[in-house]
Amino acid sequence: MSDHPKRPPKFLDVTGEPGKVNKHDVTGEPGKVNKPDSSSTIVLPKNPKRNKYALAISILASMTSVLLGYDTGVMSGATIYIKRDLKVSDVQIELLVGTINIYSLVGSAMAGRTSDWIGRRYTIIFASAIFFVGALLMGVATNYAFLMVGRFVAGIGVGYALMIAPVYAAEVAPASCRGFLSSFPEVFINFGVLLGYISNLAFSKFSLRLGWRLMLGVGAVPSIFLAIGVLTMPESPRWLVLQGRLGDARKVLDRTSDSPEEAQLRLADIKEAAGIPLTCTDDIVSVPKRESSGRDVWKDLLLHPTPAVLHILIAGVGVHLFQQASGIDAVVMYSPRIYEKAGIKDDYHKLLATIAVGVSKTVFILIATFLVDRLGRRVLLLTSCGGMTISLFCLGTGLTIIDRSKETLTWAIALCIISTVLCVAFFSIGMGPIAWVYSSEVFPLRLRAQGCSMGVAVNRFTSGLLLMTFISLYEAITIGGAFFLFTGIGTVAWIFYYTLLPETKGRTLEEMEELFGTFFRWRSTSRELKRKKMGESKVDNA
């Protein structure tokens, strides 16, 4: 074999179980993988080109997240005028701002089963339709009760969108850029926040009764175009396999993989996970379905999980818990109040300052999308959490100094503004996108929809609880004290990320369970897998 390269070829991990695809069963030629139950030999290209089709449809699916981002951003400024027009209290404002996240629990709880029933694509359309109705109701609301009904409907749509967008992106993306594509939902959440801030500023000059209604009602417009655009997208190949539609899945994989060889590998992995024989080449096959399959999924997740599934559950749900417990939504949703506490009293300047927050979030989330598959999940998570924790401490310090000073301290006001911008910047470069990337890729295929819906449920519940109590919290312990509390939570989050989350960069979705199950000793598992891979590569090259 004189034509062997000097460096051993990169292979995926061996399953080590009889009857399963042995991805290290090499024919003796570098870069080729032989499947034991098939006569085909797959040649894996070294430097595949990035798949533009997978990129395009992932962007389109992820644009559903604009709806949540817009609602989040626009409500931060709209509450200024809603409070004046409808004469509502701070407690009612807390409920208005935070309950959409609680309502979204209804949507996220139903999204897993809905997406397994009608498919990922139609679930995205359904989410857009629900949010469209909710935005219209909020835009024409005549009183506080009517407005809360609109929030409830929009919240259900938000729950659906948050769960399904990252799942779809992860399932169509090739492994080489899965993190890049799976982070797009968070990109569009941030873009939506920026649009909401701009909408606040644009409609702030309208009359009191009309301005905030236009701010909220305009959110219905994007959902129409999103629903139409999603109709041009293919269905998830993993969902198609679970329906027995192998022929359709094969076509989608051919279009969304970096090479025809990778498409064959991905199809084999999905067939294996779905319990379909590797030798089956029919376009339509019968996939056994049990009536109790839904109950079995929850049993496997919660009642009798294997060590690997329990570790995955803790990691996949934990990243969502700490993403919101860090206090980011308080910074984003209540930024006008933060700036008011910092000494900025004019509405126009408060709204103008919030745009800096939106720009920071959008710019840094775009940077993160290009780094997530290069640097890995852990590096970005740890950097993000550490930087955000320091920024929260500085924000708490600045607000405390201003609160205790009788003079206007320009430097302290500047510290608060800079700390706010840095806080959302650090969040957006890691904790924001990677919570969605990580949770959408670590769950096994059969548990993925429900596992991701649990992550979204925890994410929205934590956000809703924080937003519904933030004003009361800072009135009880001062606004500076509230951000010192978030600083402590951020420290705990950093320890959680460092000790319990393995690196998942470069692994296929079907290989994730190998990394999990040893909890705090996952580094030893990772090193053992690496040694095993290197040893088999040396044997292959011999």
Side-chain angles (χ1 to χ4, degrees):
M1 301 293 177
S2 59
D3 58 342
H4 280 191
K6 293 182 180 180
R7 296 177 61 188
K10 294 182 179 180
F11 294 107
L12 302 178
D13 295 324
V14 66
T15 62
E17 298 181 37
K20 291 192 175 182
V21 178
N22 187 338
K23 303 176 184 68
H24 281 283
D25 188 6
V26 184
T27 61
E29 296 182 45
K32 291 192 176 182
V33 178
N34 207 20
K35 291 185 170 53
D37 295 324
S38 142
S39 60
S40 62
T41 298
I42 298 177
V43 182
L44 299 176
K46 289 183 179 180
N47 298 306
K49 294 182 179 180
R50 178 157 287 176
N51 189 296
K52 294 181 180 179
Y53 180 71
L55 177 66
I57 60 177
S58 294
I59 290 174
L60 188 55
S62 301
M63 286 178 71
T64 312
S65 303
V66 166
L67 305 178
L68 170 64
Y70 182 84
D71 182 89
T72 300
V74 78
M75 191 56 73
S76 69
T79 52
I80 297 173
Y81 306 101
I82 291 172
K83 184 176 182 180
R84 295 172 187 168
D85 185 28
L86 301 183
K87 305 295 189 292
V88 295
S89 66
D90 277 344
V91 173
Q92 288 175 303
I93 290 296
E94 283 182 320
L95 291 173
L96 178 65
V97 170
T99 49
I100 191 171
N101 296 299
I102 304 300
Y103 300 149
S104 70
L105 295 177
V106 180
S108 63
M110 296 188 297
R113 294 301 298 274
T114 304
S115 66
D116 284 344
W117 179 38
I118 64 174
R120 313 322 193 200
R121 184 176 64 145
Y122 285 112
T123 302
I124 294 174
I125 296 173
F126 189 50
S128 299
I130 296 174
F131 189 88
F132 172 79
V133 174
L136 280 184
L137 290 175
M138 289 190 291
V140 299
T142 55
N143 53 49
Y144 182 78
F146 196 162
L147 186 59
M148 289 296 284
V149 171
R151 294 293 278 171
F152 174 72
V153 176
I156 295 176
V158 164
Y160 266 93
L162 280 177
M163 180 268 168
I164 196 59
V167 169
Y168 180 89
E171 292 189 345
V172 299
S176 63
C177 58
R178 188 179 61 247
F180 175 74
L181 298 182
S182 299
S183 62
F184 275 16
E186 182 69 16
V187 171
F188 285 104
I189 288 176
N190 284 268
F191 182 63
V193 168
L194 178 58
L195 290 179
Y197 288 156
I198 293 172
S199 178
N200 286 152
L201 193 65
F203 294 117
S204 64
K205 298 300 182 181
F206 283 70
S207 67
L208 182 61
R209 290 182 58 84
L210 182 61
W212 67 265
R213 289 178 171 86
L214 286 174
M215 294 175 191
L216 300 180
V218 165
V221 176
S223 60
I224 301 173
F225 296 101
L226 286 173
I228 295 172
V230 170
L231 288 172
T232 65
M233 291 162 36
E235 186 49 83
S236 158
R238 287 177 172 81
W239 183 83
L240 291 171
V241 170
L242 290 177
Q243 306 306 306
R245 296 164 56 183
L246 295 186
D248 291 337
R250 191 177 296 112
K251 293 176 183 176
V252 176
L253 287 169
D254 285 341
R255 298 192 68 185
T256 58
S257 298
D258 289 333
S259 67
E261 295 77 22
E262 188 195 9
Q264 294 179 53
L265 269 178
R266 291 174 68 188
L267 180 60
D269 283 336
I270 300 170
K271 285 163 65 177
E272 178 186 359
I276 298 173
L278 299 175
T279 53
C280 180
T281 57
D282 296 338
D283 287 344
I284 304 291
V285 299
S286 177
V287 179
K289 295 182 180 180
R290 296 170 296 174
E291 293 183 2
S292 61
S293 59
R295 292 193 297 273
D296 288 344
V297 166
W298 290 115
K299 185 185 298 182
D300 292 345
L301 269 175
L302 300 176
L303 298 180
H304 305 291
T306 63
V309 170
L310 179 60
H311 188 181
I312 287 171
L313 183 65
I314 292 171
V317 173
V319 290
H320 280 289
L321 172 65
F322 284 112
Q323 185 203 60
Q324 293 302 324
S326 65
I328 185 61
D329 275 2
V331 175
V332 173
M333 292 290 284
Y334 290 111
S335 53
R337 283 181 180 253
I338 294 171
Y339 291 139
E340 183 177 354
K341 289 287 185 180
I344 303 174
K345 303 299 181 183
D346 178 70
D347 285 350
Y348 180 81
H349 288 97
K350 280 189 287 188
L351 296 178
L352 193 62
T354 60
I355 291 181
V357 173
V359 170
S360 177
K361 282 178 68 65
T362 304
V363 169
F364 281 90
I365 188 63
L366 287 173
I367 294 173
T369 60
F370 291 99
L371 295 178
V372 66
D373 283 318
R374 295 183 181 182
L375 299 182
R377 284 56 160 159
R378 281 177 53 80
V379 171
L380 291 180
L381 264 179
L382 294 172
T383 302
S384 168
C385 188
M388 184 180 174
T389 301
I390 294 171
S391 300
L392 287 168
F393 178 78
C394 293
L395 179 58
T397 301
L399 289 169
T400 300
I401 291 172
I402 291 171
D403 197 35
R404 296 183 178 183
S405 175
K406 296 180 180 180
E407 301 177 1
T408 300
L409 301 175
T410 305
W411 68 267
I413 296 174
L415 175 63
C416 291
I417 295 174
I418 293 171
S419 296
T420 304
V421 173
L422 287 177
C423 182
V424 297
F426 277 113
F427 176 84
S428 296
I429 207 168
M431 293 175 71
I434 290 176
W436 306 104
V437 173
Y438 206 87
S439 65
S440 65
E441 67 185 1
V442 295
F443 286 100
L445 175 62
R446 196 170 74 90
L447 309 178
R448 186 167 300 138
Q450 284 79 3
C452 288
S453 69
M454 284 186 63
V456 172
V458 168
N459 185 294
R460 293 298 89 199
F461 177 79
T462 308
S463 174
L465 183 65
L466 185 147
L467 292 174
M468 287 190 295
T469 58
F470 179 70
I471 296 176
S472 301
L473 176 68
Y474 78 62
E475 287 177 349
I477 64 174
T478 74
I479 193 165
F483 286 106
F484 287 140
L485 175 62
F486 295 142
T487 300
I489 294 173
T491 303
V492 175
W494 194 94
I495 295 171
F496 173 81
Y497 297 148
Y498 183 80
T499 57
L500 274 172
L501 269 62
E503 179 57 69
T504 58
K505 181 184 72 170
R507 292 190 176 270
T508 67
L509 297 180
E510 283 66 39
E511 295 177 315
M512 291 297 174
E513 283 188 82
E514 293 180 316
L515 287 171
F516 292 86
T518 53
F519 299 94
F520 297 104
R521 300 190 304 275
W522 64 265
R523 290 173 178 80
S524 299
T525 303
S526 182
R527 285 194 295 268
E528 181 62 30
L529 290 172
K530 185 177 180 179
R531 283 195 295 266
K532 188 176 183 180
K533 183 188 297 186
M534 291 178 64
E536 292 180 357
S537 295
K538 290 178 181 177
V539 171
D540 295 336
N541 281 332

